[in-house]
Amino acid sequence: MFLKSALNSKGDATAIGEQVVRQIVVMSVLWLGLTSGSIALAQPASVFARHLDRIRQNLPPKFVMRLPSHIVLNEPADDEFIQTLNVRITTADSPQRVSVGLYSCEDDSQFCRIGTFSAANSQTVQAQQDYQQHVAAAAPIQLTKTIRGYVLMGTAKQPPSAYSSVMWQQDGMVYTISFANPERQNMLYMAVYMANNDPIMANNAASGNSQSRP
């Protein structure tokens, strides 16, 4: 199977260019596999199910959030483990941002953080600066027929980080997925699922009145 061989291909771990090419190949294969048939828009992964109302309540007016329909992590993180993860919802005002994080324990420190999914208003200066940094860092990866994402390796960040990230623009938002460096390939899988999933709208979207909760 080509996807499996691409994932298992051996090369120079320090050759960043080759890594990027392999990632593009793998993501292209995954995207073609997802789009070869009709994609039915899916609900967010079950680990988020009981938190969806709270996520909607925290979305500012005109904000849209997306979450992946599948959480993909390296072994031994099976579905049973994923269901035990803590889901944390945080908001920020400058720039306006909503983040949904997955944590392995009650602590919100880096030691417990597995990864985060964020949405920010694409019109803000900070969101565009972060996005352009990603655009300049790597070749694009196709997430949908019309949307491309850009990956920034944690080792390429200044200062270097233990977390890699992928960003793209969609729905008038800048979306970011950030996961620990060993989960980089799985992060790209989740970006495809997230970009093709149902958008989540604020409960108060129709009224335009924000009732954000901490």
Side-chain angles (χ1 to χ4, degrees), residues 184-197:
R184 182 180 62 247
Q185 192 66 67
N186 292 328
M187 176 185 72
L188 301 182
Y189 290 147
M190 288 185 280
V192 172
Y193 290 126
M194 187 167 162
N196 285 280
N197 206 2

Side-chain angles (χ1 to χ4, degrees), residues 13 22 24 29 40 45 48 55 57 71 74 82 85 106 127 138 161 176 180-183 191 195 208:
R22 286 200 299 272
I24 293 172
V29 172
F48 302 117
I55 292 171
Q57 290 164 357
I71 298 299
N74 291 329
I82 291 171
L85 295 177
E106 294 292 339
S161 171
T176 307
N181 290 328
E183 299 287 355

Side-chain angles (χ1 to χ4, degrees), residues 42-50 52 67-71 82-83 197:
Q43 292 295 317
S46 57
V47 68
F48 302 117
R50 64 181 181 275
L52 290 179
L67 292 169
S69 54
H70 300 280
I71 298 299
I82 291 171
Q83 295 304 318
N197 206 2

Side-chain angles (χ1 to χ4, degrees), residues 53-206:
D53 282 343
R54 191 156 55 95
I55 292 171
R56 294 187 184 100
Q57 290 164 357
N58 276 277
L59 291 177
K62 300 182 180 180
F63 244 60
V64 177
M65 183 65 183
R66 289 174 181 267
L67 292 169
S69 54
H70 300 280
I71 298 299
V72 188
L73 298 174
N74 291 329
E75 294 182 357
D78 56 13
D79 187 62
E80 183 177 354
F81 168 80
I82 291 171
Q83 295 304 318
T84 67
L85 295 177
N86 289 293
V87 176
R88 292 180 178 272
I89 303 162
T90 58
T91 60
D93 294 326
S94 184
Q96 203 170 40
R97 178 186 298 271
V98 175
S99 297
V100 179
L102 294 177
Y103 292 80
S104 60
C105 59
E106 294 292 339
D107 191 354
D108 61 358
S109 70
Q110 178 174 312
F111 299 102
C112 294
R113 177 160 55 97
I114 293 177
T116 57
F117 308 90
S118 302
N121 188 328
S122 64
Q123 301 302 313
T124 62
V125 173
Q126 186 62 55
Q128 278 302 313
Q129 288 178 344
D130 293 343
Y131 176 69
Q132 292 304 324
Q133 183 182 22
H134 280 67
V135 171
I141 293 175
Q142 204 73 29
L143 300 180
T144 74
K145 289 182 179 180
T146 58
I147 295 172
R148 291 177 174 181
Y150 298 86
V151 181
L152 185 56
M153 309 299 180
T155 53
K157 296 181 178 181
Q158 296 298 328
S161 171
Y163 291 84
S164 296
S165 52
V166 56
M167 299 185 77
W168 70 96
Q169 294 193 96
Q170 188 178 11
D171 312 315
M173 313 298 294
V174 172
Y175 291 109
T176 307
I177 300 181
S178 176
F179 270 76
N181 290 328
E183 299 287 355
R184 182 180 62 247
Q185 192 66 67
N186 292 328
M187 176 185 72
L188 301 182
Y189 290 147
M190 288 185 280
V192 172
Y193 290 126
M194 187 167 162
N196 285 280
N197 206 2
D198 269 330
I200 301 170
M201 310 295 292
N203 280 344
N204 49 20

